[in-house]
Amino acid sequence: MASEKSKILVVGATGYLGRHVVAASARLGHPTFALVRDAAPSDPAKAALLKSFQDAGVTLLKGDLYEQASLVSAVRAADVVISTLGSLQIADQTRLIDAIKEAGNVKRFFPSEFGLDVDRTGIVEPGKTLLSGKALAQGPPADKAVVLGDGNAKAVYVEEGDIGTYTVLAADDPRAENKTLYVRPPANTLSHNELLALWEKKSGRAFEREYIPEEAVLKQIQESPVPLNIILAIGHAAHVRGEQTGFEVDPAKGAEAAELYPDVKYTTVDEYLDRFL
């Protein structure tokens, strides 16, 4: 007999990544709860998103990260809590941890540490303080591409829905307990130059490339306002330093998602770029 699936609460459920985690949790059959400040928002887009949650069987729990009683009440509904809070709220996850301790029933907590490995990264400030993997370009270039560094460092590209899927699969998996989950789909490790070449081949157009030397990138990070400085710091770590690749995972501390869940049909970079044609 199959074991009962964990009840999952997503905090930051309506955010850029949170909505994908909610969708994956519901799709994979978990009783799913979404923490929301307002269950009937006036914003049409947010209202439509919450309706899609409910249509998928998700329960909306009214609460606020900054209102402890409501937070504890929401946490008590779940076995697993997944935080997808944005970069500016990362430090406030201590409030969520306090609520989890007070509730006393949560068996697993996933902090919002999506993107670079916080234990390995050499990311420069301010990204070191406000580490987040949620800053992404909205689409391929039209005429000109800005490349950080020489464009040869390998980086990993993962579609948001796949991040949600792998995260939820790890929720009940003892092999992933208390470990860093490395989501590095085999077909999705490319350098910036390789990515641009692939897009040029698909679109039938050549793009002007503007290469920004590392020294200039570091200078821009220090001089740019929030959130551009954070985006550049993450870009420097991934696309100049190549921190997402070129290392072996210590099985005592981490696990490769592609090895744990080889049957996941993830979106390849090649397939993702087809969406823009």
Side-chain angles (χ1 to χ4, degrees), residues 82-105:
I82 300 175
S83 171
T84 57
L85 293 169
S87 59
L88 298 181
Q89 291 182 298
I90 293 295
D92 292 335
Q93 286 187 114
T94 53
R95 296 174 177 270
L96 182 54
I97 294 169
D98 289 342
I100 289 171
K101 290 179 178 178
E102 183 176 337
N105 59 288

Side-chain angles (χ1 to χ4, degrees), residues 59-75:
T59 300
L60 305 182
L61 297 179
K62 190 172 181 179
D64 193 299
L65 183 64
Y66 304 100
E67 208 290 298
Q68 195 70 2
S70 69
L71 199 56
V72 171
S73 177
V75 165

Side-chain angles (χ1 to χ4, degrees), residues 9-268:
L9 169 68
V10 182
V11 179
T14 61
Y16 171 74
L17 185 56
R19 64 190 65 196
H20 296 284
V21 175
V22 170
S25 178
R27 186 181 70 254
L28 292 171
H30 289 268
T32 304
F33 303 85
L35 185 73
V36 297
R37 286 191 295 269
D38 185 356
S42 56
D43 177 60
K46 184 162 285 190
L49 177 62
L50 295 186
K51 184 178 185 304
S52 73
F53 287 173
Q54 292 175 306
D55 289 346
V58 175
T59 300
L60 305 182
L61 297 179
K62 190 172 181 179
D64 193 299
L65 183 64
Y66 304 100
E67 208 290 298
Q68 195 70 2
S70 69
L71 199 56
V72 171
S73 177
V75 165
R76 283 184 173 141
D79 305 309
V80 174
V81 176
I82 300 175
S83 171
T84 57
L85 293 169
S87 59
L88 298 181
Q89 291 182 298
I90 293 295
D92 292 335
Q93 286 187 114
T94 53
R95 296 174 177 270
L96 182 54
I97 294 169
D98 289 342
I100 289 171
K101 290 179 178 178
E102 183 176 337
N105 59 288
V106 172
K107 65 181 184 182
R108 197 172 294 189
F109 170 55
F110 290 68
S112 186
E113 292 180 359
F114 299 90
L116 300 172
D117 181 353
V118 295
D119 292 326
R120 295 189 69 261
T121 185
I123 188 173
V124 298
E125 293 291 3
K128 185 176 180 179
T129 301
L130 294 174
L131 181 61
S132 168
K134 305 177 180 67
L136 302 174
Q138 297 303 305
D143 302 301
K144 179 180 179 180
V146 175
V147 181
L148 305 185
D150 62 12
N152 292 324
K154 300 279 189 178
V156 181
Y157 300 88
V158 189
E159 196 265 344
E160 299 89 342
D162 293 332
I163 295 174
T165 297
Y166 285 120
T167 300
V168 173
L169 285 172
D172 279 340
D173 192 342
R175 298 173 299 174
E177 186 174 5
N178 295 326
K179 292 183 178 181
T180 299
L181 186 67
Y182 293 90
V183 183
R184 303 192 290 186
N188 290 1
T189 299
L190 297 88
S191 71
H192 203 161
N193 286 331
E194 291 171 332
L195 181 64
L196 288 170
L198 178 60
W199 179 238
E200 286 177 329
K201 181 178 178 181
K202 281 182 173 293
S203 64
R205 289 179 292 166
F207 302 101
E208 177 188 351
R209 290 166 168 77
E210 180 184 356
Y211 290 90
I212 310 296
E214 182 175 12
E215 296 76 15
V217 175
L218 292 171
K219 186 172 186 291
Q220 286 187 29
I221 291 170
Q222 298 306 315
E223 296 177 352
S224 298
V226 175
L228 179 58
N229 55 356
I230 299 173
I231 295 171
L232 287 170
I234 294 168
H236 172 262
H239 296 288
V240 179
R241 291 173 58 90
E243 288 191 356
Q244 296 173 325
T245 63
F247 64 91
E248 294 294 324
V249 173
D250 180 352
K253 298 180 180 179
E256 288 276 10
E259 295 178 3
L260 295 184
Y261 317 112
D263 295 333
V264 171
K265 178 63 176 70
Y266 62 86
T267 302
T268 66

